[in-house]
Amino acid sequence: PEKEEEIMTAAQKLWNRGMREGEQKGEVLGRRRGRREGRQEGRQLGLQQGLQASTLGIARKMLQDDLPGEQISKWTGLDLAQIDKIRGGL
């Protein structure tokens, strides 16, 4: 019985150690994945914001050249309400 208890205690210690190591590895992998996904989302968001800023800048220039809202909408993809809002800010 005493030998069995020693074996069970040793087995429990090994199991606990394995669990701790597994949790640590899982945390490291999870952080790496999270950072990778965060960078990807950040790049995507930055590209979208840059494209939007560029589109708005083009629309402003077109308005300054007195082009009709329908033509600006056709070439920028902005709707007329957005164009009117930009016009109000000039």
Side-chain angles (χ1 to χ4, degrees), residues 9-84:
T9 301
Q12 184 66 37
K13 286 179 183 178
L14 287 173
W15 187 82
N16 288 341
R17 181 175 154 199
M19 288 296 292
R20 279 192 307 271
E21 289 175 4
E23 287 174 352
Q24 289 171 349
K25 287 179 183 179
E27 287 177 13
V28 168
L29 293 174
R31 276 192 230 107
R32 285 182 190 160
R33 181 178 179 194
R35 281 194 289 272
R36 184 175 43 243
E37 289 174 2
R39 282 191 297 268
Q40 183 179 4
E41 288 176 20
R43 281 189 209 106
Q44 201 170 27
L45 181 59
L47 287 171
Q48 289 171 351
Q49 289 174 342
L51 180 58
Q52 181 70 13
S54 176
T55 300
L56 294 174
I58 291 168
R60 273 189 210 93
K61 289 178 183 178
M62 294 174 85
L63 283 166
Q64 288 169 351
D65 286 345
D66 293 324
L67 293 171
E70 291 80 14
Q71 188 175 7
I72 296 170
S73 178
K74 177 181 176 183
W75 289 102
T76 63
L78 298 172
D79 62 42
L80 293 176
Q82 292 171 303
I83 294 166
D84 287 339

